[in-house]
Each structure stands twice: as C-alpha cells, then as structure tokens.
C-alpha cells in the first residue's frame, strides 16, 4: 500500500526528519494559497502514488503563487500512471547542490539498504550508468542500523568524507522511521545536499504494510487502494470481499475477478494456483481467482460465495479445496448453502462441483445432499477430476443457453 | 530418523486456549503426538483436551522438557511468542499465523536463526513425520490416510499441496520421511534449500519432492544447491501458478509471497531453471510417483 507523498512526508517530518515544508491542495486556489504561505519558489507535484512523475510532466517548479496556481491548473485532472490527478502537493523548492540515493526494503529474510552517491534519477538508470556506485547491505533486524554501519556504507559509496557523519546519522534515523512506520519500502531519491550544506529528504516513496495497520490508526482510513489485474480499479464485488475481509474476524479472503465464466472457490494458496492452472489446461475459463485461509465462522466464506454468485459472467462454480486440514468441511457447505439461498441460486441450473475432504466430511455430505444439484465428488477424487467435471458441466449450460 | 521432529519430540502449544489450537490439539493427540504442555499467559492452571496450560514457555519447558512448539499466537503477538520460545530453549517451531507484519516476521526469524532454531512458517500448517509426530494441524483428522510413512522428503510452500502430494505418494505405495510446509508468508524461518540439505543428510530419506509457486527465490536457491552438488538425492519439483503469466506482474493471486516481480519469478522460469539444474519437473501431481521411481 503506497502512501501518497503528503502522508509520507508529514509522517517523516513529525519524526523530526529534514523534509521540505509542504501541503496538499485540491484546487488551484488552495495551491496558490499554500505557495503564498510558504514563500519563495515551490514545487507543484501531482499527488498520485507513482514514481517518475517528473518524466510524466507532473512536477512543475513555480516562482510565485501565480505560477503555482497555473501549474496546479495544468496538473489537476491529467492522468499519471493510469491515475486521475485530483490533488497536488505544493512544497518549498530546495536549492540542490548534490543528490544521493537511499532506500530500504526487504530481502529474503531481513531488511536491506541500498545507497548510491548518484541520486535524482531512477535506481535502474544508476545501475545502467555505474553499477559499482550501488551499495547494498543487509540489516540485522535485531540490532537495527547504527550510525557507524551507515557510515561504512556511505564511505564505500564514495561520498565526500566531510558529509559522511551527517549523512550516516540521517540514514540511521530514516531506518528507524522505516521500521516505526512498518514500511515495506522507503525510498529517498533524491536525498539532497542543499547549497547551504543542509541535508533534505526531497523525494520520498513509502509503501506501508497492510498487515501492520493495527499499529497505525493514522493510516487506517485511507480507503481501498488495491487494484485488480492491469491496475484497474476494483469492481463492486471485489470491494465487497475486501470490506467483508475487514469486517469479520478470522482467516482471510481474497477475490480477483477475471473474464471467464467458471467461478473458482479455492483455498490454501498453492493448491488454488494448481487448480487454476488445471482449469485452463482443461479448456475452462476462470471467472475469478480467490483464496480463503482457515476460519471458524461462515461469515467470510459466505461473503466470498456471494461475490461469485453476483458476478453476471459466472455460469458455474468449482468449490475446489485441497484436502482440508485446519477447518471442518461442514462449515464450508454451511456457508455455501447460506449464500445459495440469499442469492436465489438454483444448482440444477448453475452447476456447483464440490471437492471437499477432511474433518467432518460426513456431516458436510449430509448437508449438501439437502440441496439438489450440488455435485459433491466421491472421497479421493483428484483435483484434475474436479476441474474436468466443472468444465464439462459449464459447457453443457453454455450450449443450452446458446 | 526423520528430520526436525520424531518420536522423541515433546510438543508445547503456544496459544493453546484458542479455537484453532483446540481443534488441532485433539487431532494431534489422536495421532499420537506427545503434547506435554500448553501456554497462554494468564490461563495457567487450566487444561485443553487434558493438556496442562502454563503462563510462560519457560515454566512449561522447566516442568515438561518440551523441545518443539506449535505457535498459535495470532499475527499481532507472534513476534514476542517466537522470541519467548527461542529464549526458553525450544529447538523447533511451527508458526501458523499468516499476514504477520513484515518487520515482526524479520525479527522473529532472525532471533530463531541466530539461536539455530528451525522454524516453519509464518503461515504454515505444520510439519509431520508420518507415524511418529505431527506438529500442527497438518493432515487434519486423517493424517494417517493422507501422510503414509516412507522415504521421500517433502517440502512445500503450500500446506494444502503438502497434503495433496503426500496423498498422491500414499496411493502410489510411497510415503514421506518428513513433510514440511514452509509457510506462505514472504518471510519464513527456513529456506527451501536449507530443508533439502537436511533431507540430503538424513539416512532415511532417498529423494525429495518440492512444491513451488511464482514469486520469491526458494526454487532458484534449490537449483543453485543442485548445481553446486550440495543436493545429490533426486529432487522432483511441482511448480504451480503458470496462469499468473497471463496477467501483469505485481498482481497477487494467493499467498502474498506468490507475486511475480522479476524475470526468474514465474512458474515457467522456475521449471526451466530447476530442470536445467537436474531436478525432475512434474507437470502434474499424478506424474510425481513415476518421476521418483525413475531411479
């Protein structure tokens, strides 16, 4: 979840880090007013969660409030990286003497830092121009990043000796901020040295961890910024699943709509991937991908079924679990029946194939047998058999309709 | 011998009084796992399915000699639970919480690894040494049916697929020496290649099966270990998620770790790289037994 620039910078500024003064504006008049109160030259930037805004023409330098107003008029309403710009960020322009690069992220096991004496351009461009100028290191999460460790890195990066103490101290503070924000990524590019020898956090990109929002009340109501395939906005059914996932306790549900006609209710991450592959190989076209982790109530699985039944393109449903280990089977059938009833689905006309084995399987079979049309496969049927069954059933429905 | 757990394993359950723990403890006891203690701070003195509950891991270890822990503590508290277990001297951990905050996961895994503690998870359903011990919900109520004892080491990024693979082995007359579900979160306690090195050193394991997914570099590290000769036993690899290549990079369809970010991240790239390194790549579950028997 990428934080917009004003939120990231407000947060860093509140921790005492040297961030240029600035505020967000929704109108050109507001932008002009902010420029007036800041005084001097300002940068007017499209407030979208995307990098490389400069290249996209979405960053302007304005000499006074009138120029800031004009810049905002030009930027608000344009599209940057597929997003419509509704706000600009207006901040004091920094008189830059040199630019460096700094970022924090995660490796396989531990956080990592990347620094370079070249900044102000993409890390990819630095890598192309001068790969030896990119210094990477792991950070021990139990010790954090000390000033002297940061100094070693900047020394290796080849910045001027006289800058090392201040840059290293700032780097260690930025790591602390990265950790305190529960950020997955924090990029400072450029980390600027101003003409009056001060350091300034000019460019920032910060991605925070959705799973740590419980520690960050300030970011909890940012809305749903998830995107579907290709960066498209979530549709109503996808949003309803996200909302249900937040509303109800236990497990986790995910739902991404695709353009096929076989709804796929799968679980267990990896088994779901395999079933999706198998469905395509069998000539089926998935209406969605989904995932459900173990849960002890029907709320979340029923919400997931609701989305699938509400999808106008879906003509059939595969409830294709791997061998269930952490949850009772009858709970899933209970959720299925709740959703069938409240969506007015007739399994005799909307084929539903169930491959569901594990704890309380007998009870699950008894429940399912009360709803005519549900095809509960015999114990031991393979994932591939389940896929073939639903593909054949949906083909029959499609032919009947056509 | 099996790896990590066996008949000598004395299991502690952290977060024993929660619903999922109760559900799994019953089936673990039925399976024959020796569960010696539960821990839930503030609930010491209670019991779950006949297992005594202590307030702290240290007290439970002192009283019972527990040496492995099944950790049911939810995501927001699990970092501390892992630190507590490691400090109390537990040697093997299975951590079930999923979507653990990344910084917490890094801290927990770092403390475990620094102490030489072997940890499955986050987002694992546990590990099983068939006929000897199961740590966690793995196998549910039919662990004996799904996970037959045998001489194949199984390491899976998916708990569900560990069951499907082992069930396929059982039906083909094969079985597992140990099966490890590594966990589906981005940061897990053991790398897949590390698990395979343990199988390599295990005299009761003849060959390995791995289940991989798009995203991350576990499978690539296995290929490197194969090329380096560190793993000489046959490795059969089943890699799912090829369908993701029909969609733009950066879209997550299952485990958060299963997101394609780079060139070597896709299912087909991993199959290609593993195959070039000498692994036997299976196109389906059904092919696995035949590839193992190829000798």
């Amino acid at each position: 979840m990428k934080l917009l620039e004003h939120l990231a910078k407000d947060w860093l500024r509140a921790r005492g880090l040297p961030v240029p003064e600035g505020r967000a504006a929704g109108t050109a008049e507001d932008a002009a007013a902010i420029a007036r109160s800041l005084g001097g030259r300002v940068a007017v930037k499209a407030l979208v969660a995307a990098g490389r805004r400069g290249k996209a023409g979405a960053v302007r330098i304005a000499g006074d409030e009138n120029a800031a107003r004009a810049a905002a008029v030009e930027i608000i309403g344009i599209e940057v990286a597929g997003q419509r710009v509704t706000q600009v960020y207006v901040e004091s322009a920094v008189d830059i003497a040199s630019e460096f690069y700094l970022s924090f992220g995660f490796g396989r096991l531990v956080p990592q830092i990347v620094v370079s004496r070249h900044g102000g351009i993409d890390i990819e461009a630095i890598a192309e121009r001068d790969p030896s100028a990119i210094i990477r290191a792991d950070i021990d999460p139990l010790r954090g990043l000390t000033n002297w460790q940061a100094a070693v890195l900047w020394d290796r990066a080849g910045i001027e000796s006289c800058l090392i103490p201040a840059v290293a101290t700032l780097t260690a503070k930025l790591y602390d901020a990265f950790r305190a924000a529960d950020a997955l990524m924090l990029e400072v590019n450029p980390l600027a040295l101003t003409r009056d020898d001060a350091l300034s956090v000019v460019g920032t990109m910060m991605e925070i961890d959705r799973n740590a929002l419980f520690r960050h009340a300030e970011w909890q109501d940012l809305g749903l910024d998830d995107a579907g395939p290709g960066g498209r906005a979530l549709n109503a059914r996808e949003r309803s699943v996200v909302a249900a996932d937040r509303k109800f306790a236990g497990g986790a549900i995910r739902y991404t709509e695709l353009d096929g006609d076989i709804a796929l209710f799968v679980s267990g991450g990896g088994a779901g991937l395999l079933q999706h592959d198998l469905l395509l190989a069998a000539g089926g076209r998935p209406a969605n991908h989904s995932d459900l982790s173990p849960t002890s109530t029907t709320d979340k699985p029923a919400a997931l079924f609701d989305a699938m039944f509400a999808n106008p393109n879906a003509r059939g449903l595969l409830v294709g679990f791997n061998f269930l280990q952490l949850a009772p089977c009858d709970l899933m059938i209970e959720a299925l029946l709740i959703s069938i009833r409240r969506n007015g689905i007739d399994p005799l006309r909307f084929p539903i194939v169930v491959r569901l084995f594990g704890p309380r399987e007998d009870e699950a079979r008894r429940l399912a047998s009360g709803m005519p049309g549900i095809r509960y496969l015999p114990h031991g049927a393979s994932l591939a058999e389940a896929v073939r069954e639903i593909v054949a059933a949906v083909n029959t429905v499609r032919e009947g309709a056509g | 011998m099996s790896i990590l757990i066996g008949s000598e394993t004395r299991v502690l359950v952290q977060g024993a009084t929660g619903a999922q723990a109760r559900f799994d403890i019953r089936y673990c006891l039925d399976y024959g796992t020796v569960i010696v203690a539960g821990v839930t701070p503030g609930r010491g003195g209670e019991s779950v399915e006949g297992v005594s509950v202590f307030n702290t891991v240290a007290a439970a270890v002192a009283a019972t000699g527990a040496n492995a822990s099944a950790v049911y503590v939810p995501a927001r508290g699990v970092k501390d639970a892992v630190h507590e277990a490691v400090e109390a001297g537990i040697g093997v951990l299975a951590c079930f919480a999923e979507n653990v905050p990344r910084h917490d996961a890094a801290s927990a895994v770092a403390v475990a690894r620094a102490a030489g503690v072997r940890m499955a998870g986050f987002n694992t359903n546990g590990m099983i040494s068939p006929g000897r011990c199961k740590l966690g919900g793995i196998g549910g109520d039919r662990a004996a049916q799904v996970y037959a004892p045998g001489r194949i080491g199984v390491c899976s990024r998916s708990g569900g697929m560990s069951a499907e693979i082992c069930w396929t082995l059982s039906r083909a007359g094969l079985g597992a020496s140990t099966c490890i579900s590594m966990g589906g979160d981005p940061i897990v306690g053991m790398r897949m290649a590390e698990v395979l090195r343990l199988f390599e050193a295990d005299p009761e394991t003849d060959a390995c099966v791995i289940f991989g997914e798009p995203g991350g570099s576990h499978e690539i590290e296995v290929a490197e270990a194969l090329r380096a000769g560190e793993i000489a036993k046959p490795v059969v690899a089943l890699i799912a998620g090829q369908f993701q290549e029909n969609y733009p990079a950066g879209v997550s369809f299952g485990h958060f770790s299963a997101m394609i970010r780079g060139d070597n991240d896709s299912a087909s790239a991993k199959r290609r790289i593993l195959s070039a390194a000498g692994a036997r790549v299976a196109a389906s579950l059904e092919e696995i037994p035949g590839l193992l028997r190829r000798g």
Side-chain angles (χ1 to χ4, degrees), chain B residues 12 56-62 66-67 81-91:
Chain B
L12 167 86
T56 67
V57 177
V61 169
N67 53 17
V82 170
H83 278 255
E84 184 187 2
V86 170
E87 278 183 32
I90 296 290

Side-chain angles (χ1 to χ4, degrees), chain A residues 108-109 178 183 209 211 214-215 230 254 268 270 274 276-277 280 289 293 322-323 325-326 355 359 379-380, chain B residues 20 76 98-99 102-104 125 139 141-142 145 147 158-160 164 171 213 217 221 241-243 248 253-254:
Chain A
R108 294 165 183 178
L109 293 165
F178 167 70
D209 187 348
N211 298 328
F214 65 89
R215 284 197 284 252
R254 290 168 210 136
L274 187 65
H276 196 138
D277 282 348
L280 289 175
H289 193 76
S293 58
N322 53 260
F323 191 98
Q325 301 166 86
L326 305 177
R355 179 199 190 259
H379 186 81
Chain B
Q20 188 73 50
R76 53 181 70 186
E98 71 169 330
N99 299 333
R102 198 77 61 88
H103 284 270
D104 291 3
N125 67 346
D141 64 335
R142 298 180 205 211
Q145 177 198 351
Y147 294 84
S158 153
E164 296 294 332
R171 286 186 287 194
E213 300 174 357
S217 59
E221 293 159 35
Q242 188 170 5
F243 76 89
F253 285 97

Side-chain angles (χ1 to χ4, degrees), chain A residues 296-308:
Chain A
S296 54
T297 71
T298 55
D299 296 324
K300 287 195 178 189
L304 201 45
F305 282 123
D306 286 347
M308 294 172 189

Side-chain angles (χ1 to χ4, degrees), chain B residues 164-201:
Chain B
E164 296 294 332
I165 288 167
C166 288
W167 204 7
T168 303
L169 295 180
S170 308
R171 286 186 287 194
L174 295 166
S177 56
T178 305
C179 173
I180 312 277
S181 291
M182 304 175 50
D185 267 20
I187 294 182
V188 292
M190 289 183 286
R191 305 297 303 170
M192 188 181 267
E194 293 172 336
V195 174
L196 292 202
R197 285 191 199 99
L198 296 176
F199 283 129
E200 181 70 18

